[in-house]
Structure formats: C-alpha cells, structure tokens
Amino acid sequence: MKAKPKPKSSARRKAVRPKAPVRRAAEPSPPSLRDRFATRIAPELARYPLFPLLVLFGLNLVDEFDIQASLILGPEIKEAFGLSNAGLAGVRTAAALAGLLIPVIGVLGDRSNRVRMAWLGAAVWGVFAFSTGLVPGSMVALLVFVRFGSGTAKLVNGPIHTTLLADYYPPAVRGRVYAFHRSGDAFAAILGPALAGLVAWQLGWRYAFFLLAIPTFLLIFLTVRMQEPVRGITEDREAALGAAKEEAVPFGQAVRWLYSIPTMKRLFFGAFCAGLGGIAYAVFSSVFLDEVFGVNELGRGVIASSGAPAALVAFWLGGRVTDKLIRTKTMAHVTAFFGFSVVGLGVVLALYAMAPALWVAVVITSAIGFFLALWVAPYLTITGLVSPPRIRSLGLSYAGFFTTLGIVGTLPIGAIADGPGVRWALFVAALVLAVGGLVFASAAKFANADVSRALQVLGTEAQLRLQRTTQATRSLLKVQGVDVAYDDTQVLFGVDFDVQEGELVALLGTNGAGKSTLLKAISGLVHPRAGAVYFDGRDITHLEPHESAALGIILMPGGKSIFPTLTVRENLDMAAWLYDRDKEYVDEAKARVFEIFPVLAQRGEQQAGSLSGGEQQMLSLAQAFIAKPKLLMIDELSLGLAPLIVQQLLRIVEEIHKNGTTVVLVEQSVNVALTVAKHAYFMEKGEIRFNGSTTELLRRRDILRSVFLEGAGTVVGGNGRRQAAKSARASRKRSKQDDVILSVRDVSVSFGGIVAVSDVGFDVYRGQILGLIGPNGAGKTTLFDVICGFIAPDTGHIRLEDRDISDLAPAERSRAGLGRSFQDAKLFSSLTVGETLACALERKIRAQDPISSATGMPWALSTERLITNRVEELIDLLGLGAFRDKFVSDLSTGSRRIVDLACVLAHEPSVLLLDEPSSGIAQRETEALGPLLHRVKEATGCTMLLVEHDMPLVTSVADELIALETGRVIARGAPKDVTNDPAVVEAYLGTDNRIVARSGARGRRSRTRRR
C-alpha cells in the first residue's frame, strides 16, 4: 500500500501559488451581416462605411422604376394622348432633353454640397413622377413639361452619385462599387416593368406612376444623414485636403481642361453614339414587340424583365473584371474592355432587330440586358479617373450631356420606324452603337497617361502650396509634362519648366524647338492637350489670355507687340486696359515710361508702324511695364536690332528685373541671352535638353550645335567658319578686277519731309558679297526697296549689268536678275515646303494651260519633271529635306527664313539682296549660315548684297562693308576697317562686345577700342 502524502502546512499552502487557469484560444466571432455583405461586393469594403452605398443604391433603384414604367407603358401613353410613334419619341426626347442641363449639375457638383443635391434632386423627381399620372389626356404640352421636369430632377443620379462614390471608396474597388450601385437598374428592370404592367393591367397606367414614386420619399430621410466627403481624398489624402481650401475651377477653364484630355474627347463622341443607339432601343423595343409580335402590356413587361437577371450577372462580372484589370493590368485594358462591350451590345441589338420569332427576341433580350450592364462599371471608372477630382462632377456630367445630345437622333429613327419599319429603326440604332463602341476602344492608347496626369495635378498643387508656406525660395511658374499640338502636329513633348520667384531665366533652343509655343501655352494663347501650368501656386493650364494677363503674366511676342496704325500714346493707352478705371496709376505709369524711354515721348503722336525696329521694341517693353507684370516673358528681344539698341534694351530688362519682376527671356542668340541670365533652359525638338547654369551650358557643345544647317557648315571654331573667311578674302582680291554688276548712284528718298536715304551711291562687283550695316532706321531696308523697285527714289538711278532699271517694275527687275529676301518671309502658309518651292518655279513652267496637265501631254509631263528635279536640288542645297512635307504654317521663324531663301534662289538671280537672313535663326544656325551663303554663291554664281546685324556673320562672309547712319554712308572698306571706325562704333556697335558677338565664341572681355 502506498503511504498517503503528508498534508502540507498552512504556511506551505500559502507559499504555493495556485496554477493559472489554462486559457483557451478565443473563438473568432461570426462576421456581422455588414461584413458578410461587404465581402460579397468586395473584401476591401470592410474598412469603409456601407451606408452611403446602400442609400445611393436605393435612390438609383426608385429612379429607375419611373424610367421602366414610362418605357413599358409607352403604347398606353401613346393611345391616351393620341400620339404616333414619332410623337411618342418626341415626348420621350423632350423628357430626355433635360439631360442638356446636366452641365449645370456638374458645375454645382464641383462647388456645392453633393449630399444636399442628392436628396433635393430625389424630392423634386418624386413630385414630377407622381404628377405624370395626373396629366389629362388632352394636355400633351403639360405631359411634355412634367416628363421634362422629372428628367431634370433625375440628373443628379449620374454625376453626383458617381462622384460621391468616388470620394467614399478607393479606385481599387470602384468597379464593384459602381456595379452594385447601378445594379439598381437591373433590380428595377425586374420589378418595375412587371409591377408597372400589373398595375396598369388592373388599375390603369396612371396608377403605376402614383405607386412607383412613393419609395423615393422614404429614402430622402436616410440621404440627409450622409456626410459630404472631400473631393479626391481616396486618391491622395494630403493633396485633397489642401485642394479643398482652393477656389473652384472656373467653368470655362474646366471645360477647356476636359476637352484637352484625349480620352475624354473620345468618351464624349462615343457617348453621343451610345445615347443615340441605346435610347432608341429603349424607346422602340416595346413598339417592336407590340407591332411585330402583338405582345400586350403585361407581356412586354415580363419580356423586358427577362433581361434583368442577365444584367445582374453582367454588373457583377463587369465590376469584378474592371477591378482585376486595374490591379493586374492598366487603365488601357479597362478602356478597351469597356469599348468592346459596347460593340457587343450593338451586335446583339442587330440580331434582335432581325429576330424571326418571338422566342428568339425574348432570348436576345437577355443578351441585350447583359451587354447593357457589362460596360457600366468600366465606363464610370475610367471617366471618373481621367477627370481631375476638382472637376470630376463636370466631367461625368459632360459625358451625360453628350449622351443626351445623341438622343435627338431618336427623332429620325422614329421616322424610320414610321416609314420602312421598326426593324430598320432598331438596326440603324445597332450600327450607331457599334461605332460608338469602337470610338470608346480607341481611347485605350491615351488612358494610362490621362489617369496619371489627373492624379498628378492634386499632388503638384499640394507640393506648391507647401513650398510657398515653408521655403524661402518658391516657384512662381511651374510647367509640368506639357504637350502642345497644332492640329495633328505635336510641338511640345512633356515639357517641364520651373522658374523661381524673382529669377531671370534664359530659354534657348534650336529653330522649331517650341520656345514660342511654350510661352503661348503659359499665357493661354494655346491650350495644352496634356500636362499642367501653375502660376503663383494656382493651376492656370486652361485660362484664357486675358485671365492670365490679369494675374500678371505678360507676354511680349517677338516683332508683333504693337498696333502699327495707332500712335505711340494710343498704344500705351491700349496697354493699360487692365487698369482703365485707375486713371491715376495709368498717368503715373506713362510718365515713368517716358522717363525710361525718352525717344517715345518725342514720338508720342507718331504712328507706331513708322518707328524703327529698336523703337518698336522699346514701345513693346513700355506696354509690358504698364501692365504690372509679375512674370514678363520676352520673345526675341534682339530680333532685327542693332547691337547698340540691344544693349539699351537689355539694360532696361535688367532694371525691370531688379524691381521684382520675374523674367523669362527667349533668345536665338545664346551670347546675348547669357549676358543677363545665370540660369538657362535649352530646348530641342519640343523637349527640354538642358536645365542648369549658363556657365555649364557654354561647356555643352553636344547641345550648342547646329541642327538645321548642320550639313551646310561647321559650327564656330571649326573649319566651316575659317573656310568662309578664306573664301571671302580670295573674293576680295578678285572683285576689284571684275566688272560692276550693280550700280547705285546718288539715291535719295524722303517720306513727308523725313529723309530716309540721302545721296547714297556704291558699286557691287560681280561675284562679290557686299555687307550693309547700320543702326535701325538708317535706311538699309529703304535702300533695298529702291533697288528692287518697290519705292521710287526722289533722285538717283539704278543700273543692273549695263542696263538702267530705274523705271522698271519689281517683276521686270526680278526677270532681269534681281532677287530679294525680306525680313518677314511672306510664304503660302497652307502649302508644304515642297509645294511652296514648286510655286516659286512658276516661270519655269512651259505648258501653263490646265488642259495639257489634265490630259498628261508630253510637254506638261516634262515640265513637271523639271520642276520636281529643281525642287529637289533646292532642298538639297539648303538642307530642307526634313521639312519637305511640312506645312509652312508649322515651321518656326528661322525655318521659314531658309524656305524664303530657297524661293528666291528658285528664280536664279544674278544679284541676290538678303535682308537680315539670320533674323529669327538660332545662334548655331547663324554660325553655319556663313558657309552656307558661300556654298550658295559657288553653286549659283550670284552676287550678294547683305543687310545683317550679326557682326561675326557679316564680317566673315563679306568682301566689303558699307556703314549707313541716318540715310548716309559713313564708312566703306574691309570689314576690319569699318568695324573699327570710331563713327561706326559710336553710332551702331556700342561698347559691349558680348552683344556685338551675337554668334561665334562668346567674348569674355571687350576689345581695347571699346573700353
């Protein structure tokens, strides 16, 4: 036997701790009804409140009851009011035309409390829906009014419900959220037609509208309890909270913003087609069953309801596929899925129209219900995501607007139903739907980028807002990912451009790089099709020019800033249009302008068009000064101006900058721009190639190179410029031995007592290049006009070869061998470069009658070959191959200059007059222009008379220089001698070698003679 254990003492028992009870693992509590319901829709919804989704689902459900009742009871309404098929379509169209007011709902949705709008719209709809049953049969107009009112109140269900759901639930579950919300349409399609048909069968069609309106008022109480969410909070919380403090986007700017989104433009056109085709089916399907198969109202209700189960499956499938594509694929796949779902709808509707028997039509009705529901979730998802959150309501409402606009097409479809028959009407609707689906699918290639940009807008605004409140330096102007196109020609490609407050930035680049287009996009003259522009922390992407100017964004366009037929004072008055009510400021500003620009005070009553180029630029700067610019953008300040004038203007720009104005200076001459700017951007082919200090830019020879004229000569410092100088020296030795080809003798010209040219005479030798220099207003262009015959001189005469041409017309002088280019190339903007050159060869056409060309006569064909070959020669000579098929209107200023030169050479002149050929051409292109001119001279054998302000260019190519001042010759001789002449330096060149050397190696110190 075992001994019993001794009992433990009480002390021992107290010392021993009792064993802790063994804890069993807590059994998970069963999921709540809410969680089970959320999981069935989307597991991610368990973290979000379901109350808003259920309430909005209920409102959508009862709204659809009214729609289904009006569709199913169409024949009864037609009989009660004595309407034809077209008349019934007219009543439906009148109700649907309320959708034309949907942009108003969108505007209010982006500015007002959307929850309040939701319950107010439901209340008004309930009243009008109930009133439909009260309209007497003799009052068709009242019926139209009541249905119109019902449609107006129901407009909130589209944009308002959808944007609320977008801000309650994140993008990852929106497909299923939208699918559940819009599945109310399917439930209404199951219950509504059957219930409406049953009530109409037993009590009459009017009672259906009485009974179906009642649930609306029960849901309004629940809607009032919902909370208004912050717009965009489910996409970027911090950015959305910051944006909530901003003012609403103005209506005009918002509309332009939407139209700039490629995906939205295609959605709008597709919505038009969907509205036309889809609503035509909804209107005439009951008529089809009634007239073709003789189905009564109860049968039509049952058949219409038969498609609802398939629609429920499609809503579930469409939402699930949409969310899966977002997680695993891209928005492009979502868009394509949406588009081809609409195409599928068009196909099954065509089969429905051709149904040979009632049972076939019933089966196809289920397929139609399936495809009608399949595209809803991806459509709402993609439309909501490509619309920026701050204008999302307007984006969705505009899509509804175009759907409604398509409804007007049901009138001609109704006429088809009354004529060829309802089958043909439905078949036409099917074709239109299929076209709309293909348009929707075509938006897939833009969807990814558009969604990214829409989300990027909120983040950038928040970043700029934080920067302005926390950092010492801040961005006054920020351009982000901007694309700009003229028709189908894209000019800017994702440009990023940032200007700090108080900075002076140089914007440089090659010809056609898009510099001027970028300034236009900033100032509102063109609207980007992608990207955004921010000024002073505000999105100004789609502001109009006058709105941008009111913010302080002033653009001074190159050579086009003044009103030439107005006086100087009148131009200044025009510049003060923003402050026309503040007379005191305007008077003070004009007085300050006359202090800065004394010459303008002297020319106050003179027409601006008669001013010299430098004086016109001064007037342009004065206009900009009066407009109180926060940001002054100057396009081509030195365009066509003498070095001394450029020095004066740059000093004024620096003074304006020191007074607090931020300046963006666009210049073709790198040397000129870098005299005042420390930060530079360089553009090429519509993209930013460099962003940094000007010192670093000067070291980047891979960027600072000739692009357009790369094949014509080598850049500065290379063999091309040295070869040009060598050729010029050899030409100078030969020219004295050659005969005179052009002689100008004692030419004088006056305009109203003002002497423009005074006793000018000189000879030009065969094969020579003679340079003509002088300050703006010295008479250089006037002298060219006299030589070419556009101006008759007061005294003197002109000889070409051995012939006096003083009395010849310009065309006769051209045929005699004079060729002339102008400062502003006047070309055919609607023609391509190749076509323009062919027009310039008109005098080479042997067979000029159209019959020979139309019939392909041999001499006509030989002429065409001759013209084609000559065009190719000119294109090869001037390096225009890349521009052969581009329209002249799409070319930059510098590119047009080269095309203009090619047109002049097409006439095969013996003497070629070039008026500032480097004007508007980028610096590296100017540096390549010298070798090109010698190449042209060698290829054509022509003599050249050259007006030019770019001193490195003219001194390197000219055999001799003639300097003019106030219409008189003040110096003639070798380029070195003329440029060192004290009178020329004082009157024309000035003392800043950095300005004089517009092209070539940038001088770091002035020459001794200019100190």
mmCIF file of all heavy atoms in Angstrom, residues 24 114 124 145 191 196 199 209 213 222 363 422 443 527 533 539 544 604 635 670:
data_model
loop_
_atom_site.group_PDB
_atom_site.id
_atom_site.type_symbol
_atom_site.label_atom_id
_atom_site.label_comp_id
_atom_site.label_asym_id
_atom_site.label_seq_id
_atom_site.Cartn_x
_atom_site.Cartn_y
_atom_site.Cartn_z
ATOM 1 N N ARG A 24 -8.133 29.173 -23.083
ATOM 2 C CA ARG A 24 -8.423 28.623 -24.403
ATOM 3 C C ARG A 24 -8.437 29.737 -25.448
ATOM 4 O O ARG A 24 -8.804 30.861 -25.154
ATOM 5 C CB ARG A 24 -9.772 27.919 -24.402
ATOM 6 C CG ARG A 24 -9.827 26.715 -23.468
ATOM 7 C CD ARG A 24 -11.182 26.068 -23.543
ATOM 8 N NE ARG A 24 -11.232 24.901 -22.661
ATOM 9 C CZ ARG A 24 -12.335 24.158 -22.506
ATOM 10 N NH1 ARG A 24 -13.439 24.478 -23.170
ATOM 11 N NH2 ARG A 24 -12.302 23.122 -21.685
ATOM 12 N N ARG A 114 -22.705 67.942 -52.285
ATOM 13 C CA ARG A 114 -23.323 66.970 -53.187
ATOM 14 C C ARG A 114 -24.389 66.123 -52.494
ATOM 15 O O ARG A 114 -25.332 65.672 -53.134
ATOM 16 C CB ARG A 114 -22.238 66.069 -53.790
ATOM 17 C CG ARG A 114 -21.311 66.792 -54.754
ATOM 18 C CD ARG A 114 -20.083 65.988 -55.047
ATOM 19 N NE ARG A 114 -19.224 65.888 -53.876
ATOM 20 C CZ ARG A 114 -18.129 65.135 -53.805
ATOM 21 N NH1 ARG A 114 -17.775 64.404 -54.853
ATOM 22 N NH2 ARG A 114 -17.397 65.104 -52.708
ATOM 23 N N VAL A 124 -37.518 66.448 -55.765
ATOM 24 C CA VAL A 124 -38.152 67.061 -56.934
ATOM 25 C C VAL A 124 -38.579 65.997 -57.931
ATOM 26 O O VAL A 124 -39.663 66.080 -58.523
ATOM 27 C CB VAL A 124 -37.168 68.059 -57.593
ATOM 28 C CG1 VAL A 124 -37.762 68.632 -58.871
ATOM 29 C CG2 VAL A 124 -36.839 69.180 -56.618
ATOM 30 N N PHE A 145 -43.982 68.817 -70.324
ATOM 31 C CA PHE A 145 -43.381 69.598 -69.244
ATOM 32 C C PHE A 145 -43.102 68.729 -68.010
ATOM 33 O O PHE A 145 -42.024 68.799 -67.410
ATOM 34 C CB PHE A 145 -44.304 70.752 -68.862
ATOM 35 C CG PHE A 145 -43.872 71.478 -67.609
ATOM 36 C CD1 PHE A 145 -42.793 72.357 -67.632
ATOM 37 C CD2 PHE A 145 -44.534 71.272 -66.394
ATOM 38 C CE1 PHE A 145 -42.389 73.008 -66.480
ATOM 39 C CE2 PHE A 145 -44.128 71.921 -65.250
ATOM 40 C CZ PHE A 145 -43.052 72.795 -65.288
ATOM 41 N N LEU A 191 -38.367 44.354 -61.287
ATOM 42 C CA LEU A 191 -39.593 44.670 -60.559
ATOM 43 C C LEU A 191 -40.440 45.719 -61.267
ATOM 44 O O LEU A 191 -41.668 45.624 -61.285
ATOM 45 C CB LEU A 191 -39.235 45.169 -59.158
ATOM 46 C CG LEU A 191 -38.423 44.212 -58.274
ATOM 47 C CD1 LEU A 191 -38.063 44.884 -56.963
ATOM 48 C CD2 LEU A 191 -39.194 42.924 -58.022
ATOM 49 N N ALA A 196 -45.282 47.706 -63.022
ATOM 50 C CA ALA A 196 -45.988 48.725 -63.790
ATOM 51 C C ALA A 196 -47.017 48.068 -64.708
ATOM 52 O O ALA A 196 -48.149 48.561 -64.842
ATOM 53 C CB ALA A 196 -44.992 49.539 -64.616
ATOM 54 N N VAL A 199 -49.956 46.781 -62.489
ATOM 55 C CA VAL A 199 -50.808 47.876 -62.016
ATOM 56 C C VAL A 199 -51.610 48.464 -63.176
ATOM 57 O O VAL A 199 -52.823 48.732 -63.047
ATOM 58 C CB VAL A 199 -49.956 48.958 -61.327
ATOM 59 C CG1 VAL A 199 -50.801 50.187 -61.012
ATOM 60 C CG2 VAL A 199 -49.318 48.421 -60.055
ATOM 61 N N PHE A 209 -47.566 55.265 -61.963
ATOM 62 C CA PHE A 209 -46.697 56.379 -61.580
ATOM 63 C C PHE A 209 -46.985 56.841 -60.153
ATOM 64 O O PHE A 209 -46.082 57.301 -59.453
ATOM 65 C CB PHE A 209 -46.870 57.533 -62.570
ATOM 66 C CG PHE A 209 -46.304 57.249 -63.927
ATOM 67 C CD1 PHE A 209 -47.109 56.769 -64.951
ATOM 68 C CD2 PHE A 209 -44.956 57.425 -64.180
ATOM 69 C CE1 PHE A 209 -46.594 56.500 -66.193
ATOM 70 C CE2 PHE A 209 -44.428 57.153 -65.433
ATOM 71 C CZ PHE A 209 -45.244 56.691 -66.449
ATOM 72 N N ALA A 213 -43.672 56.212 -57.233
ATOM 73 C CA ALA A 213 -42.975 57.402 -56.721
ATOM 74 C C ALA A 213 -42.866 57.408 -55.208
ATOM 75 O O ALA A 213 -42.048 58.134 -54.645
ATOM 76 C CB ALA A 213 -43.699 58.658 -57.185
ATOM 77 N N LEU A 222 -33.055 59.128 -45.159
ATOM 78 C CA LEU A 222 -31.759 58.486 -44.963
ATOM 79 C C LEU A 222 -30.635 59.265 -45.650
ATOM 80 O O LEU A 222 -29.517 59.348 -45.132
ATOM 81 C CB LEU A 222 -31.805 57.058 -45.504
ATOM 82 C CG LEU A 222 -32.809 56.113 -44.835
ATOM 83 C CD1 LEU A 222 -32.808 54.768 -45.543
ATOM 84 C CD2 LEU A 222 -32.467 55.952 -43.351
ATOM 85 N N VAL A 363 -35.040 35.583 -76.101
ATOM 86 C CA VAL A 363 -33.693 35.120 -75.760
ATOM 87 C C VAL A 363 -32.671 36.251 -75.943
ATOM 88 O O VAL A 363 -31.803 36.482 -75.103
ATOM 89 C CB VAL A 363 -33.319 33.896 -76.617
ATOM 90 C CG1 VAL A 363 -31.843 33.538 -76.416
ATOM 91 C CG2 VAL A 363 -34.204 32.708 -76.265
ATOM 92 N N VAL A 422 -40.114 49.344 -87.859
ATOM 93 C CA VAL A 422 -39.391 49.408 -86.606
ATOM 94 C C VAL A 422 -38.160 48.513 -86.616
ATOM 95 O O VAL A 422 -37.187 48.764 -85.902
ATOM 96 C CB VAL A 422 -40.340 49.038 -85.447
ATOM 97 C CG1 VAL A 422 -40.700 47.555 -85.466
ATOM 98 C CG2 VAL A 422 -39.740 49.430 -84.101
ATOM 99 N N ALA A 443 -9.831 54.991 -77.309
ATOM 100 C CA ALA A 443 -9.272 55.830 -76.236
ATOM 101 C C ALA A 443 -8.278 55.078 -75.370
ATOM 102 O O ALA A 443 -7.617 55.684 -74.527
ATOM 103 C CB ALA A 443 -10.403 56.380 -75.362
ATOM 104 N N HIS A 527 -3.781 76.020 -75.777
ATOM 105 C CA HIS A 527 -4.087 75.201 -74.613
ATOM 106 C C HIS A 527 -3.413 73.843 -74.741
ATOM 107 O O HIS A 527 -3.547 73.177 -75.770
ATOM 108 C CB HIS A 527 -5.593 75.018 -74.461
ATOM 109 C CG HIS A 527 -6.324 76.302 -74.169
ATOM 110 N ND1 HIS A 527 -6.117 77.016 -73.013
ATOM 111 C CD2 HIS A 527 -7.232 76.999 -74.879
ATOM 112 C CE1 HIS A 527 -6.872 78.099 -73.022
ATOM 113 N NE2 HIS A 527 -7.555 78.119 -74.154
ATOM 114 N N VAL A 533 0.052 73.786 -66.054
ATOM 115 C CA VAL A 533 0.836 75.007 -65.839
ATOM 116 C C VAL A 533 0.345 75.651 -64.546
ATOM 117 O O VAL A 533 -0.865 75.858 -64.375
ATOM 118 C CB VAL A 533 0.682 75.996 -67.012
ATOM 119 C CG1 VAL A 533 1.524 77.250 -66.757
ATOM 120 C CG2 VAL A 533 1.077 75.346 -68.325
ATOM 121 N N ASP A 539 -3.371 76.586 -60.502
ATOM 122 C CA ASP A 539 -3.420 75.920 -61.797
ATOM 123 C C ASP A 539 -4.034 76.871 -62.828
ATOM 124 O O ASP A 539 -5.189 77.274 -62.713
ATOM 125 C CB ASP A 539 -4.277 74.650 -61.690
ATOM 126 C CG ASP A 539 -4.242 73.807 -62.955
ATOM 127 O OD1 ASP A 539 -3.803 74.313 -63.996
ATOM 128 O OD2 ASP A 539 -4.654 72.636 -62.905
ATOM 129 N N GLU A 544 -7.870 81.665 -70.218
ATOM 130 C CA GLU A 544 -7.808 82.452 -71.436
ATOM 131 C C GLU A 544 -6.726 83.535 -71.292
ATOM 132 O O GLU A 544 -6.347 83.887 -70.171
ATOM 133 C CB GLU A 544 -9.174 83.104 -71.698
ATOM 134 C CG GLU A 544 -10.243 82.113 -72.155
ATOM 135 C CD GLU A 544 -9.908 81.488 -73.493
ATOM 136 O OE1 GLU A 544 -9.750 82.221 -74.486
ATOM 137 O OE2 GLU A 544 -9.782 80.251 -73.533
ATOM 138 N N GLY A 604 5.559 110.611 -79.520
ATOM 139 C CA GLY A 604 4.255 110.326 -78.943
ATOM 140 C C GLY A 604 3.100 110.345 -79.923
ATOM 141 O O GLY A 604 2.188 109.525 -79.840
ATOM 142 N N ASP A 635 9.869 87.398 -75.978
ATOM 143 C CA ASP A 635 10.193 86.504 -77.094
ATOM 144 C C ASP A 635 10.996 87.285 -78.135
ATOM 145 O O ASP A 635 10.467 88.183 -78.789
ATOM 146 C CB ASP A 635 8.902 85.952 -77.708
ATOM 147 C CG ASP A 635 9.157 84.770 -78.627
ATOM 148 O OD1 ASP A 635 10.331 84.374 -78.769
ATOM 149 O OD2 ASP A 635 8.189 84.244 -79.203
ATOM 150 N N VAL A 670 22.550 82.760 -78.080
ATOM 151 C CA VAL A 670 22.985 82.337 -76.751
ATOM 152 C C VAL A 670 23.836 83.429 -76.111
ATOM 153 O O VAL A 670 23.700 83.731 -74.923
ATOM 154 C CB VAL A 670 23.784 81.023 -76.854
ATOM 155 C CG1 VAL A 670 24.308 80.599 -75.486
ATOM 156 C CG2 VAL A 670 22.918 79.928 -77.450
#
